[in-house]
Amino acid sequence: RIGQGKHPTTVNHEVKALLRVLKRAKLLSRVRDDVRLLPVKKEPKSVLAEAEKQRLLETASKKPEWMVAYSAALLTANTSMRPVEIRRLLWSDLDPFNRLVTVRRSKTEAGARVIPLNDVAWSAFAAMKKRDDSLGTYAPEHYIFHREWPLIDPRRPMSNWRTAWRSLRQAAAKGDPSMGIAPIPRLAKFRYYDLRHQC
């Protein structure tokens, strides 16, 4: 797996999954002493610089699906919300008068919380409200990040924005020498989950 270019962390996760299968089959004791996980070098957490954020914003404005992914990214970077928490948000979870959002369902019970919104996070919700107004899909009981494919369905949450985020960051990483825009290669591999470290 390492020879295939996989990260040691990925390989360790796969080995742990196999160990769980063996444990369920009551066979783990036969091999457990011979299993050694790969050492993983801790790397410093990656965060976006202001110029990189601006490049992402300018690129995201070119396509509606990119703007949705970018809005989600802004929320993660400014509130530490996980993608699954963002996808489950309803408009009724947003308190526009006090600029608060309530996370009712999370990965863990401790994840349910009320989060104050800074100006950047608020701008992400404002962009999504503008989109819903243009589509005529706004209602308190509807999802903020709702299903868009194959049909728009505001009563169902979006499955994910992984593809849009990948294409957005790759497009943002490219430069345009004719316009005097230098490439930012680091953006092409910037993981969505790193945005939580940004927060």
Short mmCIF file of all heavy atoms in Angstrom, two decimals, residues 21-71:
data_model
loop_
_atom_site.label_atom_id
_atom_site.label_comp_id
_atom_site.label_asym_id
_atom_site.label_seq_id
_atom_site.Cartn_x
_atom_site.Cartn_y
_atom_site.Cartn_z
N VAL A 21 -12.27 -6.92 12.02
CA VAL A 21 -12.95 -8.07 11.39
C VAL A 21 -12.47 -9.37 12.02
O VAL A 21 -13.27 -10.27 12.34
CB VAL A 21 -12.69 -8.08 9.87
CG1 VAL A 21 -13.20 -9.36 9.24
CG2 VAL A 21 -13.34 -6.88 9.20
N LEU A 22 -11.16 -9.48 12.22
CA LEU A 22 -10.61 -10.69 12.84
C LEU A 22 -11.10 -10.85 14.28
O LEU A 22 -11.37 -11.96 14.74
CB LEU A 22 -9.08 -10.64 12.80
CG LEU A 22 -8.44 -10.81 11.42
CD1 LEU A 22 -6.95 -10.52 11.48
CD2 LEU A 22 -8.69 -12.21 10.89
N LYS A 23 -11.23 -9.73 14.99
CA LYS A 23 -11.72 -9.80 16.36
C LYS A 23 -13.15 -10.32 16.39
O LYS A 23 -13.51 -11.16 17.23
CB LYS A 23 -11.64 -8.42 17.01
CG LYS A 23 -12.09 -8.41 18.46
CD LYS A 23 -11.93 -7.02 19.08
CE LYS A 23 -12.36 -7.04 20.54
NZ LYS A 23 -12.19 -5.70 21.15
N ARG A 24 -13.96 -9.84 15.46
CA ARG A 24 -15.34 -10.30 15.39
C ARG A 24 -15.43 -11.80 15.11
O ARG A 24 -16.32 -12.49 15.59
CB ARG A 24 -16.07 -9.51 14.32
CG ARG A 24 -17.49 -9.92 14.11
CD ARG A 24 -18.40 -8.76 14.22
NE ARG A 24 -19.77 -9.21 14.24
CZ ARG A 24 -20.77 -8.46 14.56
NH1 ARG A 24 -20.54 -7.23 14.96
NH2 ARG A 24 -22.00 -8.90 14.53
N ALA A 25 -14.47 -12.28 14.28
CA ALA A 25 -14.43 -13.70 13.93
C ALA A 25 -13.69 -14.52 15.00
O ALA A 25 -13.48 -15.72 14.82
CB ALA A 25 -13.76 -13.88 12.58
N LYS A 26 -13.28 -13.84 16.08
CA LYS A 26 -12.55 -14.48 17.19
C LYS A 26 -11.24 -15.12 16.72
O LYS A 26 -10.84 -16.18 17.17
CB LYS A 26 -13.43 -15.53 17.87
CG LYS A 26 -14.77 -14.97 18.36
CD LYS A 26 -15.30 -15.70 19.53
CE LYS A 26 -16.65 -15.19 20.00
NZ LYS A 26 -16.77 -13.78 20.22
N LEU A 27 -10.57 -14.43 15.80
CA LEU A 27 -9.28 -14.91 15.27
C LEU A 27 -8.14 -13.94 15.55
O LEU A 27 -7.00 -14.20 15.17
CB LEU A 27 -9.38 -15.13 13.75
CG LEU A 27 -10.38 -16.20 13.28
CD1 LEU A 27 -10.53 -16.14 11.76
CD2 LEU A 27 -9.93 -17.58 13.72
N LEU A 28 -8.44 -12.83 16.20
CA LEU A 28 -7.44 -11.79 16.40
C LEU A 28 -6.25 -12.27 17.21
O LEU A 28 -5.10 -11.91 16.91
CB LEU A 28 -8.08 -10.58 17.10
CG LEU A 28 -7.15 -9.41 17.40
CD1 LEU A 28 -6.52 -8.87 16.12
CD2 LEU A 28 -7.90 -8.30 18.13
N SER A 29 -6.47 -13.12 18.21
CA SER A 29 -5.37 -13.55 19.09
C SER A 29 -4.28 -14.28 18.33
O SER A 29 -3.12 -14.31 18.76
CB SER A 29 -5.92 -14.45 20.20
OG SER A 29 -6.56 -15.59 19.64
N ARG A 30 -4.60 -14.85 17.18
CA ARG A 30 -3.60 -15.61 16.41
C ARG A 30 -2.56 -14.70 15.75
O ARG A 30 -1.44 -15.15 15.48
CB ARG A 30 -4.29 -16.43 15.32
CG ARG A 30 -5.24 -17.48 15.86
CD ARG A 30 -5.80 -18.31 14.74
NE ARG A 30 -6.77 -19.28 15.23
CZ ARG A 30 -7.36 -20.19 14.48
NH1 ARG A 30 -7.07 -20.26 13.19
NH2 ARG A 30 -8.24 -21.01 15.00
N VAL A 31 -2.94 -13.46 15.45
CA VAL A 31 -2.03 -12.59 14.69
C VAL A 31 -1.66 -11.30 15.42
O VAL A 31 -0.74 -10.61 15.00
CB VAL A 31 -2.64 -12.22 13.31
CG1 VAL A 31 -2.86 -13.45 12.46
CG2 VAL A 31 -3.93 -11.44 13.49
N ARG A 32 -2.37 -10.97 16.52
CA ARG A 32 -2.20 -9.66 17.14
C ARG A 32 -0.76 -9.34 17.52
O ARG A 32 -0.29 -8.22 17.31
CB ARG A 32 -3.09 -9.57 18.39
CG ARG A 32 -3.10 -8.18 19.03
CD ARG A 32 -3.72 -7.18 18.05
NE ARG A 32 -3.63 -5.81 18.50
CZ ARG A 32 -2.75 -4.93 18.06
NH1 ARG A 32 -1.83 -5.29 17.18
NH2 ARG A 32 -2.76 -3.69 18.47
N ASP A 33 -0.02 -10.30 18.03
CA ASP A 33 1.36 -10.04 18.46
C ASP A 33 2.30 -9.76 17.30
O ASP A 33 3.38 -9.20 17.48
CB ASP A 33 1.90 -11.23 19.28
CG ASP A 33 1.18 -11.36 20.62
OD1 ASP A 33 0.57 -10.36 21.06
OD2 ASP A 33 1.22 -12.45 21.21
N ASP A 34 1.90 -10.16 16.08
CA ASP A 34 2.76 -9.97 14.91
C ASP A 34 2.43 -8.69 14.13
O ASP A 34 3.09 -8.39 13.14
CB ASP A 34 2.63 -11.17 13.97
CG ASP A 34 3.09 -12.46 14.64
OD1 ASP A 34 4.11 -12.40 15.35
OD2 ASP A 34 2.43 -13.50 14.46
N VAL A 35 1.42 -7.98 14.56
CA VAL A 35 1.00 -6.79 13.82
C VAL A 35 1.69 -5.55 14.40
O VAL A 35 1.66 -5.32 15.61
CB VAL A 35 -0.54 -6.60 13.88
CG1 VAL A 35 -0.95 -5.30 13.19
CG2 VAL A 35 -1.23 -7.79 13.25
N ARG A 36 2.33 -4.78 13.53
CA ARG A 36 2.97 -3.53 13.93
C ARG A 36 2.45 -2.42 13.02
O ARG A 36 2.58 -2.52 11.80
CB ARG A 36 4.50 -3.62 13.79
CG ARG A 36 5.16 -4.66 14.68
CD ARG A 36 5.21 -4.21 16.13
NE ARG A 36 5.87 -5.21 16.97
CZ ARG A 36 5.25 -6.21 17.57
NH1 ARG A 36 3.95 -6.36 17.41
NH2 ARG A 36 5.91 -7.07 18.32
N LEU A 37 1.88 -1.41 13.62
CA LEU A 37 1.40 -0.28 12.81
C LEU A 37 2.58 0.57 12.35
O LEU A 37 3.62 0.61 13.01
CB LEU A 37 0.43 0.57 13.63
CG LEU A 37 -0.87 -0.13 14.04
CD1 LEU A 37 -1.71 0.81 14.88
CD2 LEU A 37 -1.65 -0.61 12.83
N LEU A 38 2.42 1.23 11.23
CA LEU A 38 3.48 2.05 10.67
C LEU A 38 3.65 3.33 11.49
O LEU A 38 2.67 3.91 11.97
CB LEU A 38 3.15 2.43 9.23
CG LEU A 38 3.04 1.25 8.24
CD1 LEU A 38 2.55 1.75 6.89
CD2 LEU A 38 4.40 0.58 8.08
N PRO A 39 4.88 3.78 11.65
CA PRO A 39 5.08 5.06 12.35
C PRO A 39 4.57 6.21 11.48
O PRO A 39 4.73 6.19 10.26
CB PRO A 39 6.61 5.14 12.53
CG PRO A 39 7.17 4.24 11.47
CD PRO A 39 6.14 3.16 11.24
N VAL A 40 3.94 7.18 12.11
CA VAL A 40 3.39 8.33 11.39
C VAL A 40 4.06 9.59 11.90
O VAL A 40 4.03 9.88 13.10
CB VAL A 40 1.86 8.43 11.58
CG1 VAL A 40 1.33 9.66 10.86
CG2 VAL A 40 1.19 7.17 11.08
N LYS A 41 4.67 10.33 10.98
CA LYS A 41 5.32 11.57 11.35
C LYS A 41 4.28 12.67 11.46
O LYS A 41 3.51 12.91 10.54
CB LYS A 41 6.36 11.94 10.29
CG LYS A 41 7.12 13.22 10.60
CD LYS A 41 8.11 13.53 9.50
CE LYS A 41 8.84 14.84 9.78
NZ LYS A 41 9.75 15.21 8.69
N LYS A 42 4.24 13.33 12.61
CA LYS A 42 3.27 14.41 12.82
C LYS A 42 3.73 15.64 12.06
O LYS A 42 4.86 16.10 12.22
CB LYS A 42 3.12 14.72 14.30
CG LYS A 42 2.53 13.58 15.08
CD LYS A 42 1.55 14.08 16.09
CE LYS A 42 0.84 12.88 16.71
NZ LYS A 42 -0.29 13.28 17.51
N GLU A 43 2.84 16.13 11.20
CA GLU A 43 3.15 17.31 10.41
C GLU A 43 2.40 18.52 10.97
O GLU A 43 1.32 18.37 11.53
CB GLU A 43 2.74 17.08 8.95
CG GLU A 43 3.49 15.91 8.31
CD GLU A 43 2.98 15.59 6.93
OE1 GLU A 43 2.03 16.27 6.49
OE2 GLU A 43 3.53 14.69 6.30
N PRO A 44 2.99 19.70 10.83
CA PRO A 44 2.29 20.89 11.33
C PRO A 44 0.97 21.08 10.58
O PRO A 44 0.89 20.78 9.39
CB PRO A 44 3.27 22.03 11.04
CG PRO A 44 4.22 21.50 10.02
CD PRO A 44 4.28 20.04 10.22
N LYS A 45 -0.05 21.54 11.30
CA LYS A 45 -1.35 21.75 10.70
C LYS A 45 -1.29 22.87 9.69
O LYS A 45 -0.61 23.87 9.87
CB LYS A 45 -2.40 22.07 11.77
CG LYS A 45 -2.51 21.01 12.86
CD LYS A 45 -2.83 19.65 12.30
CE LYS A 45 -2.97 18.61 13.39
NZ LYS A 45 -3.15 17.27 12.89
N SER A 46 -2.03 22.69 8.60
CA SER A 46 -2.02 23.65 7.52
C SER A 46 -3.18 24.63 7.65
O SER A 46 -4.29 24.24 7.95
CB SER A 46 -2.11 22.90 6.19
OG SER A 46 -2.02 23.78 5.11
N VAL A 47 -2.90 25.91 7.46
CA VAL A 47 -3.96 26.93 7.48
C VAL A 47 -3.81 27.82 6.24
O VAL A 47 -2.73 27.90 5.65
CB VAL A 47 -3.91 27.80 8.75
CG1 VAL A 47 -4.18 26.98 9.99
CG2 VAL A 47 -2.58 28.51 8.87
N LEU A 48 -4.91 28.46 5.87
CA LEU A 48 -4.90 29.33 4.69
C LEU A 48 -4.42 30.73 5.02
O LEU A 48 -4.80 31.29 6.06
CB LEU A 48 -6.31 29.43 4.10
CG LEU A 48 -6.87 28.17 3.42
CD1 LEU A 48 -8.35 28.38 3.13
CD2 LEU A 48 -6.12 27.84 2.16
N ALA A 49 -3.61 31.27 4.14
CA ALA A 49 -3.21 32.67 4.27
C ALA A 49 -4.31 33.54 3.67
O ALA A 49 -5.17 33.04 2.94
CB ALA A 49 -1.88 32.90 3.54
N GLU A 50 -4.29 34.84 3.95
CA GLU A 50 -5.34 35.74 3.45
C GLU A 50 -5.39 35.73 1.92
O GLU A 50 -6.47 35.76 1.33
CB GLU A 50 -5.11 37.16 3.97
CG GLU A 50 -5.50 37.35 5.42
CD GLU A 50 -6.95 36.99 5.69
OE1 GLU A 50 -7.83 37.36 4.89
OE2 GLU A 50 -7.22 36.33 6.71
N ALA A 51 -4.24 35.71 1.27
CA ALA A 51 -4.21 35.72 -0.20
C ALA A 51 -4.84 34.45 -0.76
O ALA A 51 -5.52 34.48 -1.80
CB ALA A 51 -2.76 35.85 -0.68
N GLU A 52 -4.64 33.34 -0.06
CA GLU A 52 -5.22 32.07 -0.50
C GLU A 52 -6.74 32.08 -0.33
O GLU A 52 -7.49 31.59 -1.19
CB GLU A 52 -4.59 30.91 0.27
CG GLU A 52 -3.12 30.72 -0.04
CD GLU A 52 -2.43 29.76 0.91
OE1 GLU A 52 -2.84 29.68 2.09
OE2 GLU A 52 -1.48 29.09 0.47
N LYS A 53 -7.21 32.64 0.77
CA LYS A 53 -8.66 32.77 0.98
C LYS A 53 -9.28 33.62 -0.12
O LYS A 53 -10.34 33.29 -0.65
CB LYS A 53 -8.94 33.41 2.35
CG LYS A 53 -8.61 32.57 3.55
CD LYS A 53 -9.02 33.34 4.80
CE LYS A 53 -8.39 32.76 6.04
NZ LYS A 53 -8.66 33.58 7.23
N GLN A 54 -8.63 34.72 -0.44
CA GLN A 54 -9.14 35.62 -1.47
C GLN A 54 -9.19 34.93 -2.82
O GLN A 54 -10.15 35.08 -3.58
CB GLN A 54 -8.27 36.88 -1.54
CG GLN A 54 -8.83 37.96 -2.45
CD GLN A 54 -10.18 38.48 -2.01
OE1 GLN A 54 -10.48 38.51 -0.83
NE2 GLN A 54 -11.00 38.86 -2.97
N ARG A 55 -8.16 34.14 -3.12
CA ARG A 55 -8.14 33.41 -4.40
C ARG A 55 -9.29 32.42 -4.46
O ARG A 55 -9.95 32.29 -5.50
CB ARG A 55 -6.80 32.70 -4.56
CG ARG A 55 -6.69 31.81 -5.79
CD ARG A 55 -6.59 32.60 -7.08
NE ARG A 55 -5.35 33.35 -7.14
CZ ARG A 55 -4.19 32.85 -7.56
NH1 ARG A 55 -4.11 31.60 -7.98
NH2 ARG A 55 -3.11 33.60 -7.57
N LEU A 56 -9.54 31.71 -3.36
CA LEU A 56 -10.65 30.76 -3.32
C LEU A 56 -11.98 31.48 -3.54
O LEU A 56 -12.85 30.99 -4.27
CB LEU A 56 -10.67 30.01 -1.99
CG LEU A 56 -9.67 28.86 -1.84
CD1 LEU A 56 -9.63 28.38 -0.40
CD2 LEU A 56 -10.03 27.70 -2.77
N LEU A 57 -12.15 32.64 -2.91
CA LEU A 57 -13.40 33.39 -3.05
C LEU A 57 -13.61 33.84 -4.49
O LEU A 57 -14.70 33.69 -5.05
CB LEU A 57 -13.38 34.60 -2.12
CG LEU A 57 -14.55 35.58 -2.27
CD1 LEU A 57 -15.86 34.87 -1.98
CD2 LEU A 57 -14.37 36.78 -1.35
N GLU A 58 -12.57 34.39 -5.09
CA GLU A 58 -12.68 34.87 -6.47
C GLU A 58 -13.00 33.72 -7.43
O GLU A 58 -13.81 33.88 -8.35
CB GLU A 58 -11.37 35.55 -6.89
CG GLU A 58 -11.12 36.87 -6.16
CD GLU A 58 -9.72 37.39 -6.36
OE1 GLU A 58 -8.89 36.70 -7.00
OE2 GLU A 58 -9.42 38.49 -5.84
N THR A 59 -12.40 32.57 -7.18
CA THR A 59 -12.65 31.40 -8.04
C THR A 59 -14.05 30.86 -7.81
O THR A 59 -14.75 30.49 -8.76
CB THR A 59 -11.61 30.30 -7.77
OG1 THR A 59 -10.29 30.86 -7.89
CG2 THR A 59 -11.75 29.15 -8.76
N ALA A 60 -14.47 30.80 -6.53
CA ALA A 60 -15.79 30.24 -6.19
C ALA A 60 -16.93 31.03 -6.82
O ALA A 60 -17.98 30.46 -7.13
CB ALA A 60 -15.95 30.21 -4.68
N SER A 61 -16.73 32.32 -7.03
CA SER A 61 -17.80 33.16 -7.58
C SER A 61 -18.12 32.83 -9.03
O SER A 61 -19.12 33.29 -9.58
CB SER A 61 -17.41 34.64 -7.46
OG SER A 61 -16.28 34.93 -8.26
N LYS A 62 -17.28 32.00 -9.67
CA LYS A 62 -17.47 31.69 -11.09
C LYS A 62 -18.50 30.61 -11.34
O LYS A 62 -19.04 30.50 -12.44
CB LYS A 62 -16.13 31.29 -11.71
CG LYS A 62 -15.09 32.40 -11.69
CD LYS A 62 -13.76 31.94 -12.21
CE LYS A 62 -12.72 33.06 -12.11
NZ LYS A 62 -11.39 32.62 -12.53
N LYS A 63 -18.79 29.75 -10.34
CA LYS A 63 -19.75 28.66 -10.52
C LYS A 63 -20.61 28.52 -9.26
O LYS A 63 -20.09 28.56 -8.15
CB LYS A 63 -19.04 27.32 -10.77
CG LYS A 63 -18.37 27.21 -12.12
CD LYS A 63 -17.85 25.79 -12.32
CE LYS A 63 -17.18 25.64 -13.68
NZ LYS A 63 -16.69 24.25 -13.87
N PRO A 64 -21.93 28.31 -9.43
CA PRO A 64 -22.82 28.18 -8.26
C PRO A 64 -22.42 27.04 -7.33
O PRO A 64 -22.44 27.19 -6.11
CB PRO A 64 -24.20 27.92 -8.89
CG PRO A 64 -24.10 28.48 -10.26
CD PRO A 64 -22.68 28.30 -10.68
N GLU A 65 -22.04 25.88 -7.90
CA GLU A 65 -21.68 24.75 -7.04
C GLU A 65 -20.39 25.01 -6.27
O GLU A 65 -20.22 24.52 -5.15
CB GLU A 65 -21.56 23.44 -7.85
CG GLU A 65 -20.48 23.45 -8.92
CD GLU A 65 -20.96 23.91 -10.28
OE1 GLU A 65 -21.95 24.67 -10.34
OE2 GLU A 65 -20.35 23.53 -11.29
N TRP A 66 -19.50 25.80 -6.84
CA TRP A 66 -18.29 26.18 -6.13
C TRP A 66 -18.62 27.12 -4.98
O TRP A 66 -18.02 27.05 -3.91
CB TRP A 66 -17.29 26.84 -7.07
CG TRP A 66 -16.61 25.89 -7.99
CD1 TRP A 66 -16.71 24.52 -7.99
CD2 TRP A 66 -15.70 26.21 -9.04
NE1 TRP A 66 -15.93 23.98 -8.99
CE2 TRP A 66 -15.30 25.00 -9.65
CE3 TRP A 66 -15.20 27.41 -9.54
CZ2 TRP A 66 -14.41 24.95 -10.73
CZ3 TRP A 66 -14.32 27.37 -10.62
CH2 TRP A 66 -13.93 26.14 -11.20
N MET A 67 -19.60 28.00 -5.18
CA MET A 67 -19.96 28.95 -4.13
C MET A 67 -20.57 28.22 -2.93
O MET A 67 -20.33 28.59 -1.78
CB MET A 67 -20.94 30.00 -4.66
CG MET A 67 -21.23 31.11 -3.67
SD MET A 67 -19.74 31.91 -2.96
CE MET A 67 -19.22 32.95 -4.31
N VAL A 68 -21.32 27.15 -3.20
CA VAL A 68 -21.88 26.36 -2.09
C VAL A 68 -20.76 25.70 -1.30
O VAL A 68 -20.74 25.73 -0.08
CB VAL A 68 -22.87 25.29 -2.64
CG1 VAL A 68 -23.27 24.31 -1.54
CG2 VAL A 68 -24.11 25.96 -3.22
N ALA A 69 -19.80 25.09 -2.02
CA ALA A 69 -18.66 24.45 -1.35
C ALA A 69 -17.84 25.48 -0.58
O ALA A 69 -17.37 25.22 0.54
CB ALA A 69 -17.79 23.73 -2.37
N TYR A 70 -17.68 26.66 -1.16
CA TYR A 70 -16.90 27.71 -0.50
C TYR A 70 -17.62 28.21 0.75
O TYR A 70 -16.98 28.45 1.79
CB TYR A 70 -16.65 28.86 -1.46
CG TYR A 70 -15.79 29.96 -0.87
CD1 TYR A 70 -14.45 29.74 -0.57
CD2 TYR A 70 -16.32 31.21 -0.60
CE1 TYR A 70 -13.67 30.73 -0.02
CE2 TYR A 70 -15.55 32.21 -0.05
CZ TYR A 70 -14.21 31.96 0.24
OH TYR A 70 -13.44 32.96 0.79
N SER A 71 -18.94 28.35 0.68
CA SER A 71 -19.71 28.77 1.85
C SER A 71 -19.57 27.76 2.98
O SER A 71 -19.40 28.14 4.15
CB SER A 71 -21.19 28.96 1.48
OG SER A 71 -21.35 30.01 0.56
#
